[in-house]
Amino acid sequence: AGRVVANLVDEKDGRMAGASVVEIDGSHGEGGGQVVRTALALSAVLGRAVEITSIRSARRNPGLQAQHLTGVRALAEICGATVSGAEPGSGDLCFEPGALHGGSYRFHVGTAGAISLVLQTVLVPLAFASEEAAIRITGGTHVPWSPCFHYLDLQWLPYLRRMGFDASLELELAGFYPQGN
């Protein structure tokens, strides 16, 4: 549940302009990281700043974990965002996006954290960049409580293609929890 304070669209590029921050309660619904991933992806695509509070507050390990932080930092790099609160365990995050850029990117979760969750954060926004993009992510490909690589490749990606996305995934080396790779 969020509160949109303004809805102003820049006629030049169709992105939100001059609008206030969208405030989102990160504990709403299932209260997991999907709230963060979806909010950040929409923020980057729409060009709207977002403030997320109470991130994963009811979880055993509340706040941002390694895969969430990698997603935040990856998307911030892709769109030149200004970010505050991107720290391990943080329950609050502010994200103010800039313009989306394609190019070649490398992201490392640093743990066996799920690369699928990083992809869910950055793949859709990258489709709106003016240049093509290539991403290399290292971390966990088969992690409990997260979609595995094969789910993304065989289920999620075909649906994105039906919507017009031109993307492909390649698994070089499986990274099983708890080691990753």
Side-chain angles (χ1 to χ4, degrees):
R3 179 173 59 114
V4 177
V5 181
N7 188 19
L8 307 172
V9 178
D10 184 325
E11 292 182 14
K12 188 187 306 181
D13 65 9
R15 292 169 63 97
M16 298 295 183
S20 297
V21 174
V22 177
E23 299 172 5
I24 297 176
D25 178 358
S27 68
H28 185 72
E30 55 89 28
Q34 190 62 52
V35 173
V36 174
R37 291 186 293 281
T38 301
L40 294 180
L42 288 171
S43 172
V45 169
L46 297 173
R48 289 286 300 274
V50 64
E51 181 179 350
I52 310 167
T53 57
S54 301
I55 296 170
R56 302 178 69 251
S57 60
R59 295 299 171 105
R60 185 173 51 115
N61 297 317
L64 297 169
Q65 302 303 308
Q67 65 266 18
H68 308 111
L69 288 169
T70 303
V72 170
R73 293 173 180 151
L75 191 54
E77 182 177 338
I78 289 166
C79 71
T82 301
V83 181
S84 63
E87 303 295 331
S90 175
D92 299 315
L93 180 71
C94 293
F95 188 90
E96 186 175 345
L100 289 161
H101 297 285
S104 181
Y105 297 97
R106 289 178 155 244
F107 306 116
H108 181 62
V109 178
T111 68
I115 65 168
S116 60
L117 303 181
V118 178
L119 275 172
Q120 285 184 339
T121 307
V122 301
L123 191 61
V124 171
L126 276 172
F128 290 87
S130 58
E131 311 90 14
E132 288 188 2
I135 312 166
R136 182 182 182 97
I137 305 174
T138 56
T141 59
H142 297 76
V143 178
W145 309 107
S146 302
C148 70
F149 171 85
H150 296 94
Y151 174 83
L152 293 182
D153 193 36
L154 301 173
Q155 300 296 318
W156 184 60
L157 196 55
Y159 280 100
L160 290 178
R161 286 188 188 119
R162 288 183 186 176
M163 292 186 284
F165 285 74
D166 181 15
S168 62
L169 300 175
E170 179 182 333
L171 177 64
E172 289 183 15
L173 179 66
F176 291 92
Y177 180 83
Q179 185 177 350
N181 271 328

